[in-house]
Amino acid sequence: MSQYCSTRFANILHQVDSLNPMGKLHMNDTIVSSIYNATENISQQVVSQREKPKIDWDKKLDDVLTSRVFGFPSMLLLLGMIFWLTVAGANVPSAMIAETLFWGQDRLTDLCNYLHAPAWFHGFFVEGIYRCLAWVISVMLPPMAIFFPCFTLLEDLGYLPRVAFNLDRLFKKAGAHGKQSLTMSMGFGCNAAGIIACRIIESPRERMIAMLTNNFVPCNGRFPTLIALAGILVFGMGNTFGATAIVVGIVLLGIAVTLAVSWTLSKTLLKGVPSSFTLELPPYRKPQIGKIIVRSIFDRTLFVLGRAVCVAAPAGAVTWLLANIYVGDLSILAHCAHWLNPFATALGLDGFILMAFILGLPANEIVLPILIMSYLATGSMTELESIEDLYNLFVVQHDWTWLTALCMMLFSLLHYPCGTTLWTIRKESGSSKWTVLAALIPLGIACTICFIVAQTARALGWV
């Protein structure tokens, strides 16, 4: 651009800013309102309707679902119902799938014994790779098979645009796009699916903000860890309401961090003016059940599960090798944990917890089993039967305090995305730089917050 054109362009922008400082005149809203008013006048003149419906149900529903008073409570109620259905409904099918897959593990063990296969062969392929795959499939598949159809049902009913309408103001103040709320909601099921959902945001800048912050809402893979740790925190009180309140508080903290990081990115790395988007609320529709099942199962559930399986298989192999190759009297995993211990202690954790998160990069579901395996030194991933067993292992045998459980919950909420999500970010952004940042930004935030919480609690003598 020549110097003359640059100067003229800068003058035009200056005049626009002086006429409409900081966009306070809401020019976009005014123009869109004028267009719709003109359209309504024309339609009234040229369109005739024989019978008008006695009750306009669309308007009556919108008066509740998008109102300033009832919009947010109704939205939280609906999402809460989906979470409850997902968490409560996934337990039985998860147990059935796990029983089937681990029955297959026993048969593979029988086959190895029949063939007189060496112990390392059975350990590496059956207890390492197969067991990790079985764990990821049994934990991830049922929640996704419930959550995605429920979410697609809301989408098909025409409710999701109302969610974007309700949250648009908050995200716009954070320098992001209102549609980010939809991708964030999808992230509750699976962050990788939330990243794919970012395609609905047209602006590349705002799409990147949505992709970099989707990790701050806990996915299905992290909920079991958060729920178990909340149970340890209130163990002995016999109060499930307390554990539920802790998990809800963690979810709300994740949403607050999402808004704060979006605002920071929009003022630094991804500077820009939030794009306006005109949202035309569609009419409520009768859901098409067949299409919902096909779309949610094939386009989302199997797609995300396939990527998770590809990442989990090598993770199981690496974890087994680290836990079973000894240097001196200790496994490599134990050596790494001892080396990390001083840094982890400063964050309110210990070296084994940090190693569990590092090895759990492929899938958050395996963080807790790896930690249990490390504490028990069993050499292969295992699971305990109850919260009481977890309490005895963590608190009684390994000196956990409430601060350890709290810092592990915070780290689980805020740390880097799982391998499947990072792979999806790389595919969607086409950039290694943004993929690395997508891992480093949350890791830095997780370390900072855990460090502040741990040091403050110790300085005040609370632990």
Side-chain angles (χ1 to χ4, degrees):
M1 188 182 288
S2 66
Q3 183 65 31
Y4 174 76
C5 290
S6 299
T7 307
R8 290 294 302 270
F9 186 63
N11 288 335
I12 292 171
L13 289 178
H14 179 71
Q15 288 178 23
V16 168
D17 192 49
S18 61
L19 291 171
N20 183 25
M22 304 297 289
K24 288 180 179 175
L25 294 181
H26 303 293
M27 296 289 287
N28 185 65
D29 293 345
T30 307
I31 292 169
V32 172
S33 297
S34 300
I35 291 172
Y36 271 81
N37 287 335
T39 307
E40 189 175 3
N41 290 332
I42 293 170
S43 68
Q44 286 175 350
Q45 293 171 22
V46 299
V47 176
S48 60
Q49 193 171 4
R50 288 182 181 174
E51 290 184 9
K52 258 189 168 179
K54 292 180 182 176
I55 302 175
D56 188 346
W57 286 107
D58 280 6
K59 184 175 183 309
K60 285 197 173 294
L61 283 172
D62 278 342
D63 286 345
V64 176
L65 297 177
T66 61
S67 76
R68 288 179 182 270
V69 178
F70 299 109
F72 275 84
S74 59
M75 187 173 62
L76 290 175
L77 183 64
L78 278 171
L79 288 176
M81 285 173 62
I82 291 179
F83 289 147
W84 180 81
L85 280 173
T86 303
V87 173
N91 290 334
V92 175
S94 275
M96 292 172 65
I97 293 173
E99 189 175 343
T100 305
L101 292 175
F102 286 110
W103 177 86
Q105 178 185 310
D106 293 338
R107 302 292 75 76
L108 287 173
T109 300
D110 293 340
L111 180 63
C112 288
N113 291 336
Y114 176 75
L115 296 173
H116 301 291
W120 68 264
F121 182 89
H122 172 262
F124 183 78
F125 287 102
V126 179
E127 292 186 347
I129 296 176
Y130 181 87
R131 184 176 290 188
C132 186
L133 285 176
W135 221 303
V136 169
I137 293 172
S138 60
V139 173
M140 285 187 73
L141 182 57
M144 286 196 297
I146 296 172
F147 183 83
F148 284 143
C150 289
F151 204 82
T152 311
L153 177 66
L154 291 183
E155 187 181 359
D156 215 44
L157 281 168
Y159 178 68
L160 289 194
R162 271 83 183 173
V163 174
F165 178 84
N166 289 334
L167 292 176
D168 177 52
R169 200 177 303 116
L170 280 178
F171 278 95
K172 199 166 185 179
K173 284 183 179 176
H177 200 288
K179 289 181 184 176
Q180 187 175 335
S181 60
L182 301 179
T183 65
M184 186 184 71
S185 302
M186 189 68 78
F188 280 115
C190 173
N191 293 133
I195 298 300
I196 294 171
C198 293
R199 293 175 184 175
I200 63 174
I201 300 174
E202 293 83 4
S203 160
R205 185 188 75 86
E206 289 157 349
R207 185 164 61 244
M208 188 56 67
I209 291 177
M211 290 167 66
L212 293 176
T213 56
N214 193 271
N215 175 61
F216 295 118
V217 288
C219 62
N220 271 322
R222 281 179 282 174
F223 270 117
T225 302
L226 295 175
I227 291 169
L229 294 174
I232 290 174
L233 275 173
V234 300
F235 181 76
M237 300 179 190
N239 189 353
T240 55
F241 178 77
T244 306
I246 290 171
V247 175
V248 170
I250 285 288
V251 171
L252 292 178
L253 175 65
I255 295 172
V257 173
T258 299
L259 291 168
V261 176
S262 297
W263 182 85
T264 306
L265 286 171
S266 71
K267 301 295 180 188
T268 53
L269 292 176
L270 293 164
K271 274 184 184 177
V273 179
S275 62
S276 300
F277 88 108
T278 303
L279 181 63
E280 184 177 357
L281 295 179
Y284 291 98
R285 296 180 296 262
K286 186 178 177 182
Q288 298 174 298
I289 302 300
K291 285 186 178 177
I292 287 174
I293 293 173
V294 170
R295 218 161 67 216
S296 58
I297 297 295
F298 288 97
D299 291 356
R300 292 172 179 168
T301 305
L302 294 182
F303 178 76
V304 174
L305 187 66
R307 284 190 175 182
V309 165
C310 291
V311 176
V318 171
T319 303
W320 187 89
L321 288 172
L322 290 177
N324 288 275
I325 296 177
Y326 279 69
V327 178
D329 295 333
L330 293 176
S331 65
I332 295 178
L333 194 155
H335 278 293
C336 293
H338 289 310
W339 183 73
L340 287 171
N341 203 51
F343 175 67
T345 304
L347 303 181
L349 310 171
D350 66 30
F352 286 106
I353 298 174
L354 214 49
M355 273 305 293
F357 278 111
I358 293 171
L359 295 175
L361 171 66
N364 288 296
E365 290 82 357
I366 59 176
V367 169
L368 209 52
I370 290 175
L371 180 59
I372 295 169
M373 176 192 75
S374 305
Y375 278 159
L376 294 174
T378 56
S380 61
M381 282 186 278
T382 185
E383 195 172 48
L384 299 180
E385 295 293 330
S386 65
I387 291 294
E388 185 177 357
D389 291 339
L390 271 181
Y391 183 86
N392 286 329
L393 178 64
F394 290 170
V395 179
V396 179
Q397 298 177 32
H398 288 86
D399 300 325
W400 273 34
T401 63
W402 63 267
L403 183 63
T404 316
L406 176 63
C407 287
M408 185 170 172
M409 291 180 81
L410 290 173
F411 199 84
S412 177
L413 172 74
L414 303 171
H415 78 300
Y416 44 75
C418 69
T420 308
T421 305
L422 286 173
W423 186 7
T424 307
I425 292 173
R426 175 68 182 83
K427 290 280 184 186
E428 295 295 313
S429 68
S431 163
S432 298
K433 181 189 81 172
W434 288 114
T435 308
V436 171
L437 282 175
L440 294 181
I441 290 173
L443 179 62
I445 292 172
C447 291
T448 303
I449 290 183
C450 285
F451 180 81
I452 292 171
V453 169
Q455 298 307 318
T456 303
R458 286 167 184 158
L460 295 175
W462 290 347
V463 289

